[in-house]
Amino acid sequence: MARINEHFLKLQAGYLFPEIARRVSAFCEANPEADVIRLGIGDVTEPLPPAIVKAMHDAVDEMANRESFHGYGPEQGYAFLRDAIVENDYQSRGVEVSADEIFVSDGSKCDTGNILDIFGQDNRVAITDPVYPVYVDTNVMAGRTGNADDNGRYEGLAYIPVTAENDFVPAIPDEKVDLIYLCYPNNPTGTVASKETLQQWVDYAKQNDAIIFYDAAYVAFITEENVPHSIYEIDGAKSVAIEFRSFSKNAGFTGTRCAFTVVPKDLKGKTVNGEEKFIHALWNRRHSTKFNGASYVVQKGAAAAYSEDGKKQIGDLVSFYLENARLLREGLEEAGITVFGGVNAPYVWLKTPDESTSWEFFDQLLKKAHLVGTPGSGFGASGEGYFRLSAFNSREKIEAAVERFVKSLG
Ligand code: MLT
């Protein structure tokens, strides 16, 4: 019989979001009349912006003709999209990134997991806690951890708590780590990192020959001044950081799938013998071996996100979700709940009332308000006692959610 990868057996229960979906569907089966509002997974609800839809329709028409048909495209992405990314996401902010440092893909979730292929087993990995569970689970699958303890923390990972007690600022480790995951604006807490904080991390990475995986999937939601949009706005970051970006949350591509990863050409890692190697070459090799490129139609749609109409429509979409976040935040605050995030991110992170645990509060909210959120402890031990609400929904549902939430407290 074939041997399995036993590291998978170390994984805790199900992946967080399928586990929530399982509990919700059990509830719905038992209560078929319940009109459940889902603010759990951060999945967009509004349709694709018209400029993107048009570009995708046109691309489908191209595919329908021999003369304009496209087969395999460049694995790294079409030049029209990589150039638009450079110009709009980087050059416009004074950041130097070249088109060949960009690798277009079908999602940041996949990229943040896949990147581990090119790193050795014995790297010590640091993650903030709470954290997007993919970072942890993919390291467990890759065999870079031991078993989980009673709090769900895996042996071998360096956990860095980010809670209200430290103002959600991750402390620089007092040990040597090799790979560091940072996500800003942060999922799940909705908080942001200042330039000074990121500079400390970049300096730490330089001093310790570490690499930062910087997940910037929610960058479009930054509203406040002086919040860095890219890790490359920080001095020295190009020699220590890989950045992940996505079209999911800004342009509504959660179902359409398109993202990109920036791997600077300066970035190096080393072999067991201490020989330096370029990460870019390794990732290019991995990407072009295991991936055949995002589809032409989807990349055409993504490129339209940078057209004048596309930018305006995406701006409206992001503002719409941010207004939802404001309604959630203010509605809950008025009811006496302690709330974080929701200003530069589509997530509101709250302290559970009456010291209930995150899962207790999940069950209570589902039962009393028919409202689904995400238990903070599902994102890590330091998320215990917190709860996340996503602002991705219709205005009507967000307003109803606030009303039901507040009523359920009484
Ligand atoms: C979330 O809810 O945390 C996100 O939707 C997950 C994801 O982007 O994969």
Side-chain angles (χ1 to χ4, degrees):
M1 204 178 271
R3 283 274 306 279
I4 60 161
N5 174 354
E6 290 184 36
H7 300 303
F8 277 65
L9 304 180
K10 298 176 195 162
L11 293 165
Q12 304 284 289
Y15 177 59
L16 176 62
F17 296 108
E19 174 59 21
I20 291 172
R22 193 187 61 74
R23 290 191 186 213
V24 174
S25 62
F27 176 82
C28 290
E29 240 167 67
N31 303 275
E33 76 299 339
D35 168 25
V36 173
I37 298 180
R38 291 160 209 264
L39 305 184
I41 190 162
D43 190 6
V44 296
T45 53
E46 305 310 295
L48 291 171
I52 291 177
V53 173
K54 161 127 191 12
M56 291 174 78
H57 278 158
D58 290 350
V60 170
D61 288 342
E62 281 185 63
M63 293 302 240
N65 284 301
R66 178 174 298 280
E67 294 70 36
S68 50
F69 172 78
H70 292 267
Y72 291 127
E75 291 94 349
Q76 299 81 357
Y78 283 98
F80 61 76
L81 179 55
R82 295 166 100 194
D83 289 343
I85 290 169
V86 167
E87 190 185 324
N88 293 280
D89 287 330
Y90 295 105
Q91 270 170 8
S92 67
R93 303 196 64 80
V95 173
E96 232 182 86
V97 163
S98 61
D100 58 358
E101 293 177 312
I102 290 176
F103 293 83
V104 175
S105 76
D106 59 353
S108 285
K109 179 180 185 173
C110 329
D111 284 352
T112 55
N114 292 336
I115 198 80
L116 294 176
D117 275 9
I118 61 169
F119 290 96
Q121 284 301 101
D122 49 357
N123 283 298
R124 178 133 169 100
V125 176
I127 53 147
T128 53
D129 176 16
V131 79
Y132 181 41
V134 172
Y135 312 154
V136 174
D137 287 4
T138 51
N139 274 288
V140 176
M141 290 170 178
R144 215 168 271 117
T145 73
N147 287 315
D149 66 15
D150 292 344
N151 291 320
R153 284 189 159 157
Y154 290 92
E155 188 193 337
L157 292 183
Y159 289 89
I160 305 167
V162 276
T163 60
E165 282 69 46
N166 61 10
D167 248 342
F168 299 97
V169 178
I172 300 293
D174 50 14
E175 58 165 320
K176 182 170 162 29
V177 299
D178 308 299
L179 300 174
I180 300 155
Y181 289 86
L182 295 178
C183 169
Y184 289 106
N186 186 252
N187 179 15
T189 65
T191 57
V192 287
S194 68
K195 208 164 179 182
E196 293 68 35
T197 297
L198 292 183
Q199 187 69 62
Q200 285 173 13
W201 278 100
V202 167
D203 293 347
Y204 171 90
K206 285 183 102 159
Q207 281 150 18
N208 291 277
D209 281 339
I211 290 183
I212 297 173
F213 296 151
Y214 193 76
D215 185 347
Y218 298 94
V219 64
F221 294 85
I222 294 175
T223 58
E224 290 180 319
E225 296 288 312
N226 298 324
V227 175
H229 286 60
S230 163
I231 188 76
Y232 305 125
E233 289 175 33
I234 309 300
D235 280 346
K238 281 204 80 184
S239 61
V240 295
I242 292 173
E243 181 161 292
F244 302 92
R245 294 257 190 137
S246 168
F247 294 93
S248 283
K249 316 288 164 141
N250 58 343
F253 274 48
T254 54
T256 310
R257 313 304 307 149
C258 197
F260 61 92
T261 292
V262 184
V263 184
K265 282 187 282 185
D266 293 350
L267 188 65
K268 289 183 199 156
K270 61 176 190 244
T271 66
V272 76
N273 300 324
E275 211 183 320
E276 294 189 350
K277 297 282 174 199
F278 286 107
I279 298 294
H280 185 276
L282 294 181
W283 181 245
N284 191 41
R285 186 72 172 84
R286 190 269 171 218
H287 192 75
S288 49
T289 302
K290 292 196 183 180
F291 187 61
N292 258 336
S295 85
Y296 176 74
V297 174
V298 164
Q299 290 190 62
K300 274 288 182 183
Y306 298 110
S307 66
E308 279 318 304
D309 285 349
K311 283 193 230 177
K312 157 100 186 47
Q313 291 159 10
I314 284 177
D316 291 347
L317 204 48
V318 167
S319 301
F320 173 80
Y321 290 128
L322 279 169
E323 175 63 8
N324 283 351
R326 186 189 68 78
L327 291 170
L328 281 171
R329 204 179 67 238
E330 293 183 0
L332 270 49
E333 260 168 357
E334 266 171 44
I337 300 287
T338 305
V339 179
F340 307 93
V343 175
N344 297 297
Y347 296 126
V348 166
W349 185 243
L350 55 112
K351 278 298 272 171
T352 56
D354 306 323
E355 313 241 315
S356 49
T357 68
S358 302
W359 277 110
E360 278 165 5
F361 189 64
F362 174 90
D363 289 335
Q364 179 188 320
L365 208 56
L366 182 57
K367 204 164 126 214
K368 283 177 124 183
H370 300 173
L371 183 56
V372 181
T374 309
S377 57
F379 296 103
S382 298
E384 183 55 277
Y386 289 91
F387 199 77
R388 193 192 77 176
L389 291 176
S390 154
F392 292 117
N393 217 316
S394 65
R395 183 61 42 80
E396 192 193 347
K397 291 229 165 115
I398 292 286
E399 283 169 350
V402 173
E403 207 174 291
R404 290 191 201 177
F405 186 108
V406 174
K407 206 161 143 216
S408 77
L409 298 173

